[in-house]
Amino acid sequence: QVQLVESGGGLVQPGGSLRLSCVASGSFFRFNVMGWYRQAPGKERELVATITNGGVVNYVDVVKGRFIISRDNARTAVSLQMNSLRPEDTAIYYCYVNVQLYTMNRYYSGWGQGTQVTVSS
C-alpha cells in the first residue's frame, strides 16, 4: 500500500504563488515517477508536471515558465512551486506516484485525495 499526503492548496489572487507538497509512504522500494495532475469542474484530469527518480521533468505547455517541480528522494516527496497563477489554473490538484515494489518487476500507481487550488480576485 502507498499513502500520499498532500498540502499547500488554497485561495490566491491572480499573479500570486502557491507551493504544493506531496509525501509518499508505504511498503515500496523507491519511486519511479511522481507528480501532479489537476481536474477542473466538468473536465478530464490532466497532467500538470511529473518528475522521475532520475530527475527528468515533464510539464504541460500552459505551465511552462511558471511552475517548477522538484523532488526529495530521501522522503519520497515532490513539490510544485506555482508562480504567476491564473484563474484557469483553478482546479483540484492530485498527487500521483508510481513506485517500484520490493518484488522484482512489480509496480504500483496511486493517487492522493486532491487539494483545491483557487485563483480568483
Side-chain angles (χ1 to χ4, degrees), residues 40-88:
K43 296 184 178 180
E44 294 292 317
R45 191 173 299 182
E46 67 174 356
L47 180 147
V48 179
T50 59
I51 186 167
T52 71
N53 185 268
V56 179
V57 299
N58 185 38
Y59 299 97
V60 66
D61 286 344
V62 294
V63 309
K64 290 180 179 178
R66 300 189 295 123
F67 293 8
I68 301 173
I69 190 169
S70 59
R71 74 190 194 282
D72 182 347
N73 290 330
R75 297 185 65 205
T76 313
V78 292
S79 64
L80 183 68
Q81 179 66 44
M82 304 186 295
N83 301 315
S84 301
L85 284 163
R86 306 165 180 170
E88 52 263 42

Side-chain angles (χ1 to χ4, degrees), residues 4 7-9 26 28 42 45 59 65 67 70 77 80 97-98 105 119:
L4 300 176
S7 63
F28 56 87
R45 191 173 299 182
Y59 299 97
F67 293 8
S70 59
L80 183 68
V97 64
N98 177 269
N105 298 130
V119 185

